[in-house]
Amino acid sequence: MKVSSIHFVLKGKTDYKDLVPVFPDILKMFLESIDQMPEEEELLQMLIELNMTDLELNRKPEGYNRKGKIRLVFPMDSKEFYLKTYSKSSELKPIADKISEMLTAAGIKYEIKENDRVDYD
């Protein structure tokens, strides 16, 4: 099965804590885009809070690595997050474009890499 990914690598002194202002919007947009938005507002808030607690403490958050057509993953060994799919890579582009717009609007410094280290699980 072919794996496709789009990576958002944090650049320079940009750190996890810099994602705090924009991460809830990124996660909501992501969940809506992959049709995995929880029906109950409490579940959505729990997902946001789990990630925000780590981000506020400048730690790697959980992301959204549940079974689904696309995952939002924060790897252990680098300051980045990526979208990963086992299906058509064309599904990633629109979501990645929206995330890119959000990061740019928030003044976050990053670079995008495609299909980098696709051996991640």
Side-chain angles (χ1 to χ4, degrees):
M1 191 177 294
K2 180 155 174 45
V3 178
S4 297
S5 64
I6 297 179
H7 300 249
F8 297 88
V9 181
L10 303 180
K11 290 179 67 175
K13 294 184 180 184
T14 304
D15 221 329
Y16 290 127
K17 68 182 182 299
D18 298 316
L19 297 174
V20 168
V22 72
F23 188 79
D25 293 332
I26 288 174
L27 185 59
K28 287 176 193 174
M29 179 278 302
F30 172 76
L31 292 172
E32 287 172 355
S33 296
I34 64 168
D35 295 324
Q36 295 232 344
M37 181 64 86
E39 290 183 24
E40 297 179 27
E41 180 66 23
E42 293 151 353
L43 290 176
L44 174 62
Q45 290 307 315
M46 181 187 71
L47 286 171
I48 291 171
E49 285 302 314
L50 284 172
N51 284 284
M52 291 300 288
T53 299
D54 287 328
L55 289 171
E56 288 165 352
L57 295 171
N58 205 31
R59 297 188 306 218
K60 178 195 95 59
E62 177 183 331
Y64 191 81
N65 199 11
R66 291 165 180 79
K67 295 258 185 226
K69 63 182 179 181
I70 300 176
R71 296 178 182 189
L72 174 66
V73 180
F74 285 81
M76 296 293 289
D77 62 347
S78 63
K79 293 249 169 116
E80 70 174 279
F81 63 95
Y82 61 92
L83 302 172
K84 174 182 175 180
T85 185
Y86 292 100
S87 59
K88 298 175 188 157
S89 62
S90 62
E91 294 177 3
L92 293 179
K93 185 83 172 111
I95 298 170
D97 289 345
K98 289 178 187 173
I99 291 173
S100 183
E101 289 172 12
M102 294 171 152
L103 293 173
T104 299
I108 295 171
K109 303 229 183 298
Y110 66 97
E111 68 177 308
I112 294 178
K113 294 184 179 181
E114 293 190 33
N115 298 321
D116 185 41
R117 299 166 61 174
V118 292
D119 56 329
Y120 283 146
D121 286 329

